[in-house]
């Protein structure tokens, strides 16, 4: 079972940018679709963005135009470039397959958007 390790989070001011990375313990080339998810305090985890093997992407309406997901199968890594961050983007961000493998959730990386 592939495990994921997320990194790149931090504290950023509104309007700022961050780039998250997710490294898999095994190859992701056989995983058709990968995605980023997030969980804000007191809320359920929600889907943020997805990318399939051919490279097609899809985004939640709340992040469309601000976030960009990409994947590098040779490095077993998925990225999330986040721009024009807003306080409502504050959450722990996770990556996983899409739909997610419940046994593969990592620790996530905290993103805090605050002035």
């Amino acid at each position: 079972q592939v495990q994921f390790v997320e990194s790149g989070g931090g504290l950023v001011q509104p309007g700022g940018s961050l780039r998250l990375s997710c490294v898999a313990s095994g190859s992701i080339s056989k995983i058709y679709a990968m995605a980023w998810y997030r969980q804000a305090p007191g809320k359920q985890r929600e889907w943020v963005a997805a990318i399939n093997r051919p490279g097609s992407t899809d985004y939640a309406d709340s992040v469309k135009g601000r976030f960009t997901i990409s994947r590098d199968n040779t490095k077993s890594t998925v990225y999330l470039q986040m721009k024009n961050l807003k306080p409502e983007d504050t959450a722990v961000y996770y990556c996983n397959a899409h739909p997610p493998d419940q046994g593969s959730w990592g620790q996530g990386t905290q993103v805090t958007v605050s002035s």
Side-chain angles (χ1 to χ4, degrees):
Q1 196 168 37
V2 177
Q3 299 296 315
F4 301 104
V5 178
E6 302 88 353
S7 64
L11 173 63
V12 63
Q13 292 186 341
S17 299
L18 283 174
R19 188 194 193 204
L20 306 184
S21 298
C22 166
V23 180
S25 61
S27 174
I28 62 170
S29 60
K30 293 185 178 181
I31 302 176
Y32 183 74
M34 290 292 300
W36 283 93
Y37 305 82
R38 67 186 181 186
Q39 186 168 19
K43 295 186 177 181
Q44 289 190 334
R45 185 151 41 197
E46 64 176 358
W47 167 77
V48 174
I51 183 169
N52 63 19
R53 195 183 300 134
S56 295
T57 58
D58 196 13
Y59 299 92
D61 288 343
S62 59
V63 306
K64 201 169 292 184
R66 300 187 298 119
F67 290 11
T68 303
I69 187 172
S70 59
R71 65 190 286 175
D72 186 339
N73 291 337
T74 65
K75 296 181 179 179
S76 294
T77 302
V78 183
Y79 304 96
L80 187 67
Q81 178 69 51
M82 306 186 294
K83 298 180 180 179
N84 191 22
L85 283 160
K86 304 176 180 181
E88 51 264 42
D89 295 318
T90 295
V92 179
Y93 284 72
Y94 305 85
C95 75
N96 205 324
H98 184 60
D101 181 338
Q102 296 303 325
S104 294
W105 292 109
Q107 295 299 309
T109 185
Q110 175 71 47
V111 172
T112 302
V113 185
S114 176
S115 55

